[in-house]
Amino acid sequence: MGLSAVQLRVCLQSYWYMWVTNSITGLLFTGIGIGIAAFFMKKFRKTKAKPHARAPNTTKRSERPFSPTDINTLDNSFGTGTTGTGVIGTYAPRITSADSTNEIGLLDSSEAFAQATFQAINGFRRRYEAQPLELNDQLSEIAQRWAEHMASTGKLEHSPPEWRNLGRQTLGENYAASFQVELTGEKMVRKWMKEGKRYMFGHDGRKDTENFTQLVWRASQEIGVGRARSDDGNWWYGVVIFDPPGNIPNQYAENVHLPAEIK
Ligand SMILES: *[C@@H]1O[C@H](CO)[C@@H](O)[C@H](O)[C@H]1NC(C)=O
Ligand SMILES: *[C@@H]1O[C@H](CO)[C@@H](O)[C@H](O)[C@H]1NC(C)=O
């Protein structure tokens, strides 16, 4: 038999608190469930890839540097002279004639280093609207002498002005070192180019961007390249001499141009 209406009323009246508690608990769990679901949905939406999203432009166009590490996108039409045979992207030392190889057919390593440095520098210069530089043996002797000097003293520093003036003016000089990893021409040049991230185009140079500004300096015409290794074999030192020298106060605006593709 079922409950009579009166019995039901009595039951509800005596246990009302139970019904209230149950309702509140139910609401509470529903709320928590919705909260958890919302949390995960949000998370999911955030991690979903946005294929067309772009970083917001926070800096002025003229202050935004081109990524100097992007050497692989350099066009490879540049080479020595005007024939355009250089390869920057997939760098391999060019063997141009029999006398640049030794008896066992390998490119002499200092020649390869000079060629790699030369090509990387000119590849970047092209982007910055600077004429390609010529490789000059006399300047390379100066660079080589200083690289050997640093390899013997273990000190990374500029050469004294009298070591690099050809009787005219103190020439520009960039140097780099590498520990337990061979210093290649391309690595050295990239390292210098990274300073370009700090450079404010249209302003005079800063002390910590001098390697970069010298490298792309439009008035420079010739370079010499040298490299030496310390006696213990741990350190490589690389030097590039620039003639005419760059980094002249008040001449940065004419000599250090914005990369062509962001103009
Ligand atoms: C961001 O930069 C690009 C290219 O430099 C430009 O076309 C675009 O209009 C800029 N957007 C804003 C919001 O400034
Ligand atoms: C040039 O580069 C070398 C090697 O990375 C570094 O030791 C030197 O401090 C740099 N010079 C300037 C002026 O930034």
Side-chain angles (χ1 to χ4, degrees):
M1 70 169 233
L3 294 168
S4 72
V6 175
Q7 278 173 321
L8 195 61
R9 190 142 40 92
V10 169
C11 180
L12 281 174
Q13 274 171 352
S14 347
Y15 297 108
W16 63 270
Y17 56 87
M18 202 185 82
W19 299 108
V20 171
T21 316
N22 279 354
S23 311
I24 290 175
T25 312
L27 281 175
L28 217 62
F29 274 102
T30 311
I32 289 171
I34 290 171
I36 289 172
F39 175 80
F40 279 108
M41 288 212 0
K42 206 164 148 203
K43 219 171 165 147
F44 174 70
R45 226 176 291 140
K46 248 192 218 150
T47 53
K48 218 162 87 181
K50 288 182 199 147
H52 304 296
R54 288 189 55 162
N57 297 345
T58 48
T59 50
K60 285 208 327 245
R61 190 183 177 88
S62 61
E63 289 163 10
R64 228 178 312 133
F66 124 85
S67 165
T69 50
D70 209 11
I71 196 169
N72 288 334
T73 66
L74 285 176
D75 85 42
N76 60 10
S77 62
F78 177 75
T80 49
T82 54
T83 50
T85 52
V87 177
I88 293 290
T90 53
Y91 177 75
R94 272 176 317 129
I95 299 170
T96 47
S97 67
D99 46 28
S100 62
T101 59
N102 62 21
E103 292 79 16
I104 55 167
L106 291 173
L107 198 67
D108 171 60
S109 86
S110 71
E111 171 69 12
F113 180 75
Q115 278 295 325
T117 303
F118 167 76
Q119 291 190 18
I121 289 179
N122 280 338
F124 279 120
R125 282 179 67 86
R126 185 188 177 89
R127 266 196 154 159
Y128 288 79
E129 302 181 327
Q131 285 300 305
L133 302 171
E134 301 276 330
L135 196 50
N136 175 309
D137 288 344
Q138 206 183 353
L139 297 178
S140 288
E141 270 171 41
I142 296 175
Q144 184 61 30
R145 204 165 358 123
W146 189 246
E148 283 168 14
H149 180 86
M150 287 196 292
S152 68
T153 63
K155 275 198 209 134
L156 195 58
E157 59 191 353
H158 278 297
S159 59
E162 60 273 20
W163 280 54
R164 47 173 162 121
N165 59 28
L166 293 180
R168 291 187 269 112
Q169 57 185 334
T170 306
L171 303 175
E173 180 182 76
N174 281 15
Y175 54 72
S178 178
F179 181 64
Q180 291 187 343
V181 178
E182 185 182 357
L183 182 68
T184 67
E186 192 182 312
K187 254 193 259 177
M188 179 172 78
V189 172
R190 278 179 194 243
K191 196 189 263 192
W192 293 334
M193 287 303 294
K194 282 185 188 157
E195 293 175 10
K197 288 180 180 171
R198 295 191 289 262
Y199 184 68
M200 298 286 281
F201 290 89
H203 296 267
D204 259 17
R206 303 173 7 170
K207 274 273 160 260
D208 60 355
T209 59
E210 282 177 350
N211 291 308
F212 161 71
T213 49
Q214 169 61 85
L215 213 143
V216 300
W217 194 265
R218 282 160 60 88
S220 292
Q221 290 173 354
E222 295 185 314
I223 49 166
V225 180
R227 183 180 68 165
R229 198 172 174 183
S230 62
D231 284 342
D232 63 9
N234 276 334
W235 287 90
W236 277 261
Y237 295 87
V239 176
V240 179
I241 297 289
F242 297 82
D243 186 24
N247 296 342
I248 297 163
N250 302 319
Q251 296 184 15
Y252 282 81
E254 307 98 271
N255 281 287
V256 183
H257 282 196
L258 270 172
E261 69 272 28
I262 69 164
K263 276 206 142 156

